[in-house]
């Protein structure tokens, strides 16, 4: 187990800078998820931690030791790749044992370790099989087994679930999380899927264009996003953003009506008022908060809830209705979100309006 | 029952004709090898008086056995060398990013455009200055590595996902071991194809071994067989007997590994 610290970490490819001096401190035993859209630098960052990419500036420390110039094999980390990277010409047992390639254990001890790991991952019946005779989920488990068998200082996961189908992905998500609870090994997990990030992380690191936008627990990111990008990236469906113009103590909405803005310091009067679809519920009660009326355009029935897209003032706003209440298309509906559930952003800087 | 389509009949007919054209020389070779000298110009496929005398004589002739062994040594060593070095260079060009990589690749590739006939003279000068004329090394050195093999292996190694290599790097293998233990087993079809092409090419090679060898003990099989035509008029029945025996190794390789040959040709075609 180990801490991982990134200090002003930079990566350049020729003239292009893809990681702009990021700082991050990962605690011992923590499960940190790097999340962001393609090209945000999350995989590059992970690969720099692994030692598969040279760093162009800054420092990486694993357990307090600077590893900038160490070979991947000397960093005592294990990595799980997106397309498993288990060797097709070796059996499951050989693949897992490959994680112990440099270990000085005796053959019998190695065998014992492999069997133990296989047992943990439910791979015991498949030890002699070739990867081609395994399902996607089993292959991913072999890859995890190869990483686990060495008892590394940290696990690095590079989008390990994106090749699996939806059901298997959910299952593996839980398995990895459970494994982390049991082993307590520091883990860094890269994904572009915000659901994976929310469900697995102790802390989430949101990245964009080679910079860290926000670091926090899943709930912190959900409740207090620092900018529009994070606000829309975390949470599904994405947050509604309604243009509004600021005036004394409140803001007039483009869709009609107004809201109170509790603490407003914006560069201009143009702001965006955010409301999560889960907080916008049909009501006739026009209490404090955000009230939007419009015509129902699309209805998405999910069973547990119903997502309702309404057209209001030329904008589509998504609200949610209880699962059994299914509005008709074309119906006129009013949605309301309580004042304490609203988010406010500066339209020009895209930052959340600071609390005073 | 489905009717046989006319297109089918045409293609079968063409294939049949092609097959006959291909197999006729082989049948004549076998047939001639079973005739005695007096029947050679009697073009009957089935000999009037078949005999195994030619085989007994050829196999009893120490020179033939020697040539056969020579060919085995030359083709065997050159094949092993090609499989090793071509894939080592191909892997390096495919998987390592270094300055001038492309230039090196183009330089290697450009040698494919020089015909062998033009290379023979510099080869010979080189061999004679190094004292390699009339030696095994002299026969083998031009073919120890080939541009085609390097190109073929590079194309195949490019298809090996980087993740395998990086995973192995993290597992603690050094670069040579990664190539040997991880990358090589993943390109087995290409290696088999390269081995087969190289072996067949060297087994049947005639021009360069003829030039570089002077003593009969160092002749390879094709050169040795040709001497039947030069020294004591043309002994067709002996040449054909020797050729029939010489076909055996290639035939065996084909029978055992034809799956790989077909796959190798197919993949080389797709990737090249």
């Amino acid at each position: 187990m180990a801490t991982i610290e990134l200090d002003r970490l930079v990566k350049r490819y020729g003239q292009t800078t893809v990681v702009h001096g990021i700082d991050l401190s990962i605690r011992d035993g923590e499960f940190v998820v790097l999340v962001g859209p393609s090209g945000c630098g999350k995989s590059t960052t992970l690969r720099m931690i692994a030692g598969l990419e040279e760093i162009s500036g800054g420092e990486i420390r694993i357990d307090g030791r600077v590893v900038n110039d160490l070979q991947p094999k000397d960093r005592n980390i294990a990595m799980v790749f997106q397309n498993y990277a288990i060797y097709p010409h070796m059996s499951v047992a050989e693949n897992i044992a490959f994680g112990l390639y440099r270990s000085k254990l005796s053959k019998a001890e190695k065998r014992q370790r492999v069997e133990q790991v296989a047992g943990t991952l439910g791979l015991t019946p498949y030890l002699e099989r070739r990867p081609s005779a395994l399902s996607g989920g089993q292959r991913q488990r072999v890859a995890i087994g190869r990483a686990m068998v060495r008892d590394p200082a940290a696990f690095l996961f590079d989008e390990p679930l994106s090749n699996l189908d939806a059901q298997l992905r959910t299952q593996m998500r839980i398995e990895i999380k459970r494994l982390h609870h049991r082993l307590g090994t520091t883990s860094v997990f890269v994904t572009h899927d915000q659901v994976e990030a929310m469900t697995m992380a102790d802390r989430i690191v949101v990245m964009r264009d080679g910079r860290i936008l926000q670091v926090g627990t899943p709930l912190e990111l959900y409740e207090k996003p620092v900018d529009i990008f994070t606000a829309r990236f975390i949470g599904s469906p994405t947050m509604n953003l309604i243009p509004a113009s600021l005036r004394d103590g409140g803001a007039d909405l483009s869709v009609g009506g107004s809201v109170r803005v509790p603490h407003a310091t914006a560069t201009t009067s143009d702001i965006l008022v955010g409301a999560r679809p889960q907080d916008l519920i049909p009501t006739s009660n026009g209490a404090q908060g955000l009230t939007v009326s419009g015509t129902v355009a699309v209805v998405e029935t999910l069973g547990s809830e119903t997502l309702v897209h309404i057209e209001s003032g030329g904008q589509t706003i998504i609200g949610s209705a209880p699962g059994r209440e299914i509005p008709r298309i074309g119906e006129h509906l009013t949605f309301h979100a309580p004042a304490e559930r609203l988010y406010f952003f500066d339209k020009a800087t895209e930052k959340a309006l600071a609390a005073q | 029952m489905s009717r046989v389509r006319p297109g089918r009949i045409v293609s079968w007919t063409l294939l049949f004709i092609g097959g006959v054209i291909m197999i006729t020389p082989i049948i004549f070779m076998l047939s001639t090898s079973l005739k005695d000298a007096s029947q050679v110009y009697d073009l009957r496929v089935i000999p009037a008086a078949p005999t195994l005398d030619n085989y007994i004589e050829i196999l009893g002739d120490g020179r033939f056995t020697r040539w056969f062994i020579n060919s085995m040594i030359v083709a065997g060593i050159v094949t092993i060398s090609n499989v090793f070095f071509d894939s080592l260079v191909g892997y390096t060009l495919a998987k390592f990013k270094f300055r001038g990589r492309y230039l090196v690749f183009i330089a290697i590739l450009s040698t494919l455009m020089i015909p062998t006939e033009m290379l023979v003279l510099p080869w010979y000068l080189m061999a004679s200055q190094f004292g390699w004329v009339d030696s095994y090394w002299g026969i083998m050195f031009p073919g120890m590595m080939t541009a085609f093999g390097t190109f073929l292996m590079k194309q195949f190694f490019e298809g090996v996902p980087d993740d395998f290599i990086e995973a192995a790097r993290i597992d603690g293998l050094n670069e040579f071991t990664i190539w040997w233990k991880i990358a090589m087993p993943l390109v087995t079809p290409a290696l088999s194809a390269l081995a087969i092409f190289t072996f067949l090419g060297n087994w049947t090679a005639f021009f360069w071994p003829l030039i570089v060898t002077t003593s009969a003990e160092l002749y390879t099989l094709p050169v040795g067989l040709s001497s039947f035509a030069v020294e004591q008029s043309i002994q067709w029945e002996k040449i054909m007997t020797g050729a029939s025996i010489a076909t055996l190794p290639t035939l065996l390789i084909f029978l055992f590994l034809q799956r790989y040959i077909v796959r190798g040709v197919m993949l080389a075609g797709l990737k090249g």
Side-chain angles (χ1 to χ4, degrees):
Chain A
M1 286 197 276
T3 58
I4 299 173
E5 284 152 285
L6 312 183
D7 195 358
R8 287 166 289 118
L9 189 63
V10 177
K11 178 67 190 177
R12 277 185 226 101
Y13 291 109
Q15 299 295 313
T16 326
T17 306
V18 292
V19 175
H20 298 264
I22 58 173
D23 295 303
L24 181 66
S25 178
I26 297 166
R27 291 187 283 269
D28 188 12
E30 200 175 17
F31 198 109
V32 167
V33 175
L34 306 183
V35 70
S38 311
C40 72
K42 55 188 190 301
S43 277
T44 310
T45 305
L46 190 80
R47 291 168 58 79
M48 284 194 283
I49 299 174
L52 295 172
E53 294 279 350
E54 280 182 29
I55 68 175
S56 315
E59 207 169 83
I60 299 175
R61 290 186 293 274
I62 297 177
D63 227 5
R65 182 172 64 135
V66 178
V67 296
N68 287 13
D69 299 320
L70 288 188
Q71 292 289 315
K73 61 180 195 282
D74 299 322
R75 298 187 183 201
N76 192 23
I77 40 98
M79 188 152 164
V80 179
F81 291 84
Q82 181 175 351
N83 45 16
Y84 324 128
I86 52 174
Y87 310 122
H89 57 288
M90 297 180 194
S91 69
V92 169
E94 286 167 329
N95 262 289
I96 296 177
F98 224 77
L100 294 171
Y101 187 78
R102 295 225 306 164
S103 145
K104 302 231 171 358
L105 294 176
S106 72
K107 257 202 166 131
E109 283 172 309
K110 281 186 182 174
R111 183 78 209 171
Q112 198 189 343
R113 284 282 277 279
V114 170
E115 277 167 6
Q116 193 186 335
V117 165
T120 309
L121 294 167
L123 289 170
T124 310
Y126 312 110
L127 277 175
E128 298 314 318
R129 283 205 198 167
R130 287 288 169 100
S132 55
L134 299 178
S135 71
Q138 288 164 341
R139 286 180 203 183
Q140 193 54 281
R141 253 180 254 152
V142 176
I144 293 172
R146 189 176 61 195
M148 264 172 68
V149 74
R150 189 145 32 105
D151 196 14
F155 285 129
L156 309 178
F157 296 91
D158 191 3
E159 308 215 21
L161 306 184
S162 43
N163 282 1
L164 303 177
D165 64 47
Q167 200 185 348
L168 211 54
R169 198 182 303 177
T170 315
Q171 189 192 330
M172 285 305 290
R173 215 158 68 193
I174 297 164
E175 280 184 32
I176 292 176
K177 192 69 194 152
R178 193 178 284 164
L179 214 58
H180 176 252
H181 272 298
R182 177 128 51 101
L183 303 173
T185 311
T186 312
S187 302
V188 187
F189 190 104
V190 162
T191 179
H192 59 265
D193 181 348
Q194 60 96 12
V195 178
E196 263 170 39
M198 291 292 279
T199 51
M200 299 180 82
D202 292 330
R203 277 196 304 157
I204 297 176
V205 178
V206 182
M207 291 186 70
R208 185 194 189 186
D209 298 335
R211 292 189 170 83
I212 292 179
L213 297 182
Q214 190 170 3
V215 183
T217 64
L219 215 55
E220 274 169 8
L221 261 61
Y222 189 80
E223 298 281 351
K224 296 191 182 91
V226 294
D227 58 14
I228 291 177
F229 180 81
T230 311
R232 289 184 65 89
F233 198 78
I234 303 291
S236 171
T238 54
M239 182 189 280
N240 296 297
L241 290 172
I242 304 162
S245 58
L246 210 56
R247 56 166 175 76
D248 251 359
D252 296 321
L253 297 167
S254 67
V255 294
S258 63
V259 288
R260 260 173 51 81
V261 182
H263 36 64
T265 45
T267 49
T268 65
S269 64
D270 286 336
I271 65 161
L272 292 166
V273 177
R276 295 208 181 269
Q278 286 76 10
D279 295 328
L280 262 179
I281 49 175
T283 177
S284 50
N285 155 21
Q288 289 246 318
L290 173 72
T291 306
V292 193
S293 301
T295 326
V296 176
V298 176
V299 175
E300 294 179 83
T301 314
L302 300 178
S304 59
E305 60 175 346
T306 304
L307 297 175
V308 185
H309 300 235
I310 60 165
E311 300 282 355
S312 177
Q315 203 184 340
T316 304
I317 289 162
I318 307 175
S320 59
R324 289 187 180 75
E325 260 174 50
I326 299 166
R328 289 188 313 280
I329 306 275
E331 191 181 337
H332 192 82
L333 269 187
T334 301
F335 282 90
H336 180 81
E340 68 275 13
R341 291 266 159 230
L342 298 181
Y343 303 80
F344 301 96
F345 302 96
D346 188 321
K347 196 176 177 186
T349 64
E350 301 202 341
K351 298 278 180 224
L353 294 189
Q356 285 172 335
Chain B
M1 286 292 283
S2 61
R3 266 179 341 113
V4 179
R5 281 179 291 122
R8 269 276 154 92
I9 296 172
V10 172
S11 56
W12 281 348
T13 312
L14 286 174
L15 284 173
F16 179 75
I17 294 169
V20 168
I21 291 172
M22 295 285 200
I23 209 156
T24 306
I26 298 172
I27 290 174
F28 263 95
M29 176 182 79
L30 287 172
S31 152
T32 309
S33 74
L34 298 171
K35 295 173 181 172
D36 62 31
S38 64
Q39 299 174 66
V40 165
Y41 293 99
D42 168 13
L43 292 181
R44 263 180 293 188
V45 173
I46 297 169
T51 167
L52 286 174
D53 287 352
N54 294 322
Y55 284 92
I56 294 163
E57 195 180 323
I58 285 268
L59 290 173
D61 183 342
R63 289 182 305 167
F64 183 84
T65 323
R66 182 68 202 248
W67 297 336
F68 194 93
I69 292 169
N70 285 348
S71 274
M72 275 296 204
I73 291 172
V74 168
I77 292 179
V78 171
T79 301
I80 292 168
S81 162
N82 266 280
V83 165
F84 186 84
F85 288 112
D86 291 355
S87 54
L88 193 59
V89 176
Y91 176 74
T92 308
L93 289 172
K95 289 296 173 194
F96 288 89
K97 314 268 175 279
F98 54 90
R99 201 181 285 267
R101 175 173 73 128
Y102 190 64
L103 207 69
V104 172
F105 178 58
I106 293 294
I108 292 174
L109 211 56
S110 62
T111 62
L112 278 177
M113 294 165 201
I114 308 171
T116 313
E117 288 77 2
M118 266 182 74
L119 291 168
V120 162
L121 196 60
W123 283 346
Y124 191 83
L125 290 174
M126 198 171 145
S128 78
Q129 269 160 23
F130 280 117
W132 295 342
V133 173
D134 210 23
S135 71
Y136 281 129
W137 179 240
I139 305 172
M140 292 185 299
F141 85 90
M144 297 300 271
M145 250 192 86
T146 62
F148 170 74
T150 307
F151 171 72
L152 181 80
M153 294 318 296
K154 174 184 178 284
Q155 299 307 100
F156 269 88
F157 280 121
E158 273 174 358
V160 173
D162 286 340
D163 282 2
F164 284 128
I165 293 161
E166 291 178 341
R169 238 167 241 166
I170 288 178
D171 285 337
L173 277 74
N174 63 38
E175 297 301 330
F176 186 83
T177 329
I178 292 173
W179 168 71
W180 184 246
K181 286 202 161 173
I182 306 297
M184 285 290 263
L186 294 175
V187 294
T188 327
L191 289 175
S192 315
L194 177 64
I196 291 159
F197 289 146
T198 313
F199 189 86
L200 296 189
N202 282 278
W203 183 259
T204 54
F206 174 70
F207 192 39
W208 174 247
L210 174 72
I211 291 171
V212 83
T213 51
T214 47
S215 50
E217 301 88 73
L218 275 165
Y219 283 176
T220 57
L221 206 43
V223 179
L225 289 179
S226 76
S227 71
F228 283 130
V230 190
E231 288 172 12
Q232 311 122 330
S233 74
I234 303 180
Q235 297 176 294
W236 283 116
E237 73 289 359
K238 298 276 187 311
I239 294 176
M240 291 305 161
T241 308
S244 302
I245 300 170
T247 319
L248 276 178
T250 56
L251 205 66
L252 287 178
I253 286 183
F254 244 90
L255 286 179
F256 281 120
L257 298 170
Q258 57 176 334
R259 250 179 331 141
Y260 288 119
I261 295 184
V262 172
R263 200 170 160 199
V265 170
M266 199 173 67
L267 290 177
L270 279 178
K271 297 215 162 191

